[in-house]
Every structure is written in C-alpha cells, then in structure tokens.
Amino acid sequence: MKPRALDFDQNAVLVMVLAGGEGRRLFPLTLDRAKPAVPFGGRYRIIDIVLSNFVNSGLSRIKVLTQYKSASLEEHIARNWRLAPILDQYIEAIPAQQRTGKTWYRGSADAVWQCQHVIDDDHPELVCIFGGDHVYKMDVRQMLLFHREVRADATVAAIPVPRESARDFGVIEVGEGNRIVAFHEKVENPPPMPGDPSRCLASMGNYVFGPHVLLRELQEDENLEQSRHDFGHDVLPRLVRKGGAVFAYDFATNAVPGEDERGRGYWRDIGTIDAYWEAQMDLIEIHPQFNLYNFRWPIRTGATHDPPAKFVFRDEAQARVGIATDSMVSHGCIISGGRIHRSVLGVGCRVNSFSEVEESVLFEGVRVGRHAKIRRAIIDKNVEIPSGTVIGFDREADKQRFFVTEEGTVVIPKRAKLEEGNSSP
C-alpha cells in the first residue's frame, strides 16, 4: 500500500526519541548499557528498529535523548547513523545536561522539557516523541496524516490488545472519531474499544504534538510538584481534562510497504528477559511476525568489514559437523564442527567442535568451547564458554552460577568468567 502524499514538508517534522530508560527488568543485559542499546536480531541494536522506522518514513531530523549508561548507545549512533548534513539530515544523541536545574530527567515529559532548546532552534511544524526501546514497524507518515486531518493538539499511537491482558497496559478510552476521553492506567476492568468488546486500546508511548501545545503543556507540568512529569501519567490526561483535542491513532491500521497481514500490528515491549528471548525466537520462525527480510522496509544499522559466516567440518561418523538449522547466524561467525539449532548468533561468534547450542541468543564475539551444551540461554558480548560447560539443563545448578528467570531462561552477563569444568551435571 502506497501512503498518501504529505501536505507539508517532511523536514518540518522534528523527531525526539526517548532513549534514557534504565531497563531494570532486562537486567543483567542492561548492566552496562541502556535498554535501547541491547543487541537484537544478531547484528542490530533495539534503537536501530526505531530509527529505521523514521528514516524509512522519510523523517531525518532526529534527536535521541539519552541518560542511563548511555556511552555504548551514543557511540553506536555516532559511528553508524550518519545521514546527509548537506540535506539538513541528522541523527544526534543528546545526553542529559541538567539545563533546567540540578536534576536528571524525572520522567518522559521532563526529558523533553529539559531539551526544549532543540524545539526552539528547529521551529518544527510537528514534533514526534517516540520511545526508543520497542520492537515494531510503523510508517510514521500515516500517523502524521491522521494528526493533521483530525486537527489534533496531540495524537497517541494505540494498539488493540485482548481485554483480559489489557490490565497490564495504560488503556485509552475513546469517543467519536477516536477522540480520547480518558486514560486508565493498569485498571482491573478497562474500557473496550468502540464496537469491539473483546479488545482495548493500549498506549504505545508514541506521540505527535504541535510544538506550541507541547511547550505550553510541558511548562505547566514543570511547575506542578505532584506531577510525575510523564506524558502518559500526567501531561496527556491533563490535556484531555482541559478539553484539548487529543486523538488515538489505531496502529492496527498502519500499512508498512512490503509487509503482509502477519506483521500488521506487531508491537513488543520486550521489557523482560523472557519477552526479549521470545521476540528473538520469533525471528527464526519460517514466517516470523517481525520480518527482517522485507527489503522495502529494511532495518538499518552500520556496515562492517566482517567476512561471511563460515561452517566447517563434516565428519558425521564422529558427530563433528558444523551446521545451523532454523537459526540466524551473523557475518564473521565460524561454526567449527558445532551444531546450532533455533538460535540467533551475533557478529563474530565461534562455536567449536562437538558443541550444541539450542534456543539461545549469543551476542557479539561469544566463544563456545568444545563439547559444550547450551539450551535456552542469552550469552552477552565476548563471553567465553569453556569446553565441556553445560548450561540450561539443570535449573538449580544454573541458579548457583547465573541469572535464571522464572521461565528458565539463563543469562550470562558481560565479562562473566567461567572456569573450565564448572558446569551443570
């Protein structure tokens, strides 16, 4: 589906990506990095997905607001996301600077308020404020068109979710024409969508504002001591109560070029280790909901000089076969006589002879020694797994050495030191 032409200059849209979150529920993957900098899909970072949506939508004036352990995120953006300054295109990271007082960001609204100088300097017609840590594909132009057509002060992207699970989200109650009449934060009996009693509209945390409305509401919020300085909790509900024209944009109507119906409306928070692992496992399905192979809507990241992945040894009599099935193996990997099944391998991993890796996620530079057996594990960057190590087969033994979720996903953090022979029985 080809989107309708915009009736304004796309260079008049300023994008502000909120990427300063701590991501506590993704610990220990966020031990040394912000959540948007967590690797995803082998060669990407989570932030690449959000930035790709904007660049693919023709929006290329982007500020990324960072705060928590932001070094790796800022380095990734600086090294890999270089647009064309001669065309006034940029993607720039803005670290927290305490410009409005001696406090760090107190919430999503306060983060934008502390960076208000960006809006003043750019004089945009519209401002997009999106989170930097969700997995989805969205043609943002369609949301901008909706915002303009309904003459909204603010527009909130919303996704239909089953009513029985909606209590875990901030739910939007809408009236005629999807105009928002109330916000309900994680209530037991959330209001259903109009005409669909089985589903509710959950906020995605993505917003479009007119700049004058945005700055006015942020200034008012800044002076309220009881405010949590958050868009979803404070700024938008207050604007609705004041009679502002706040509308919900139904994300399920968004049509991304090259996507089929399986991918329509796919959105994942991946706020927990198990949700993150499940989202990675979806990537290796025969028909994944989040399709990395749609070349009309590519997920972009930096180019590298790594060689292609290599698979060596075919000694079937000795079970020394370099093979990967139902998996994604990034460039620079060497599968040297090991077996990979239903796994995602980052750049430059090596799996040595007689080892087995199943339903696991290996970050960049992981080394797996001979005769290792690994199941349902997430192994962080540059970790070396000694020969003979067994992970994921004895939960109690794993808990003594690693972080293990209630669902049984084992996480081995960055810089973990594993000793030879220190393995589950």
Side-chain angles (χ1 to χ4, degrees):
M1 175 180 175
K2 185 177 181 180
R4 290 169 291 166
L6 295 176
D7 59 353
F8 57 93
D9 182 6
Q10 287 170 250
N11 281 334
V13 178
L14 173 66
V15 176
M16 302 181 79
V17 178
L18 304 176
E22 186 173 348
R24 293 180 183 178
R25 294 182 299 159
L26 268 185
F27 182 88
L29 299 181
T30 51
L31 181 65
D32 291 308
R33 58 172 76 90
K35 182 181 174 183
V38 172
F40 188 85
R43 64 181 302 238
Y44 309 101
R45 307 283 187 111
I46 295 174
I47 190 69
D48 291 332
I49 298 168
V50 179
L51 296 179
S52 294
N53 284 330
F54 284 109
V55 172
N56 292 342
S57 299
L59 304 174
S60 53
R61 299 169 69 89
I62 303 172
K63 300 286 188 177
V64 181
L65 280 55
T66 66
Q67 180 169 258
Y68 172 82
K69 295 187 177 179
S70 61
S72 64
L73 177 60
E74 291 167 6
E75 290 170 2
H76 177 76
I77 292 170
R79 295 173 182 177
N80 300 297
W81 282 94
R82 298 179 181 178
L83 302 185
I86 198 170
L87 300 177
D88 296 323
Q89 298 176 350
Y90 57 77
I91 298 178
E92 298 170 345
I94 306 179
Q97 303 170 70
Q98 298 185 338
R99 293 179 66 96
T100 61
K102 297 299 182 181
T103 61
W104 300 112
Y105 297 151
R106 296 170 294 172
S108 58
D110 185 56
V112 176
W113 176 248
Q114 290 199 36
C115 297
Q116 61 183 280
H117 64 286
V118 172
I119 302 173
D120 292 334
D121 292 346
D122 268 52
H123 305 292
E125 293 182 21
L126 294 173
V127 181
C128 294
I129 300 173
F130 277 48
D133 54 10
H134 295 157
V135 175
Y136 63 98
K137 293 182 183 178
M138 181 181 189
D139 187 342
V140 185
R141 293 169 291 191
Q142 296 169 37
M143 183 175 176
L144 293 170
L145 281 169
F146 174 83
H147 177 89
R148 296 276 293 214
E149 288 171 352
V150 299
R151 301 178 182 272
D153 293 325
T155 299
V156 181
I159 183 169
V161 297
R163 196 174 182 191
E164 58 269 18
S165 60
R167 63 177 61 93
D168 297 326
F169 298 92
V171 171
I172 299 169
E173 183 177 355
V174 298
E176 185 177 353
N178 269 15
R179 182 161 180 163
I180 298 175
V181 298
F183 288 83
H184 303 270
E185 184 64 26
K186 297 181 180 180
V187 296
E188 284 298 317
N189 189 29
M193 294 175 57
D196 188 351
S198 66
R199 297 192 296 171
C200 302
L201 282 174
S203 172
M204 297 171 61
N206 296 338
Y207 317 114
V208 175
F209 281 90
H212 301 297
V213 172
L214 174 62
L215 292 175
R216 182 192 71 206
E217 296 303 316
L218 290 179
Q219 185 173 25
E220 179 181 340
D221 180 78
E222 178 69 12
N223 298 321
L224 297 176
E225 292 184 3
Q226 72 277 16
S227 175
R228 285 183 277 183
H229 308 293
D230 183 86
F231 281 106
H233 286 96
D234 306 288
V235 174
L236 287 162
R238 187 167 54 248
L239 182 56
V240 168
R241 290 194 297 270
K242 289 163 56 176
V246 184
F247 287 80
Y249 171 71
D250 187 350
F251 175 61
T253 66
N254 194 266
V256 173
E259 292 290 311
D260 58 23
E261 287 301 313
R262 280 191 303 271
R264 183 187 290 269
Y266 179 92
W267 176 77
R268 293 292 182 272
D269 184 354
I270 58 172
T272 66
I273 290 293
D274 288 317
Y276 173 83
W277 177 84
E278 290 168 0
Q280 299 267 22
M281 292 301 102
D282 172 68
L283 298 177
I284 57 178
E285 295 292 336
I286 296 174
H287 300 294
Q289 285 188 275
F290 191 79
N291 180 18
L292 294 175
Y293 299 89
N294 176 6
F295 297 107
R296 294 182 60 193
W297 199 266
I299 304 302
R300 303 174 187 272
T301 193
T304 74
H305 303 293
D306 295 282
K310 182 168 70 170
F311 301 78
V312 295
F313 295 116
R314 189 188 173 186
D315 185 354
E316 296 179 357
Q318 300 296 322
R320 190 188 188 193
V321 179
I323 188 172
T325 54
D326 295 341
S327 297
M328 296 175 62
V329 180
S330 300
H331 42 273
C333 289
I334 299 176
I335 312 304
S336 179
R339 293 177 179 268
I340 310 299
H341 181 62
R342 290 189 53 77
S343 294
V344 178
L345 274 60
V347 176
C349 293
R350 183 182 181 106
V351 180
N352 285 303
S353 296
F354 312 109
S355 290
E356 299 178 9
V357 178
E358 182 176 358
E359 293 190 332
S360 295
V361 181
L362 276 55
F363 287 7
E364 178 182 348
V366 170
R367 298 289 189 269
V368 179
R370 288 188 169 201
H371 298 284
K373 294 182 67 177
I374 301 170
R375 182 173 67 185
R376 192 169 176 144
I378 302 172
I379 304 176
D380 212 322
K381 184 177 179 179
N382 292 332
V383 170
E384 293 196 15
I385 306 297
S387 297
T389 301
V390 179
I391 300 169
F393 292 84
D394 186 323
R395 184 175 298 191
E396 294 306 314
D398 288 333
K399 284 182 178 179
Q400 294 177 18
R401 300 176 299 145
F402 311 121
F403 178 90
V404 183
T405 70
E406 291 184 1
E407 299 296 324
T409 305
V410 181
V411 183
I412 303 178
K414 195 175 178 181
R415 293 191 298 274
K417 300 296 184 183
L418 282 69
E419 297 180 4
E420 190 92 21
N422 183 13
S423 63
S424 305

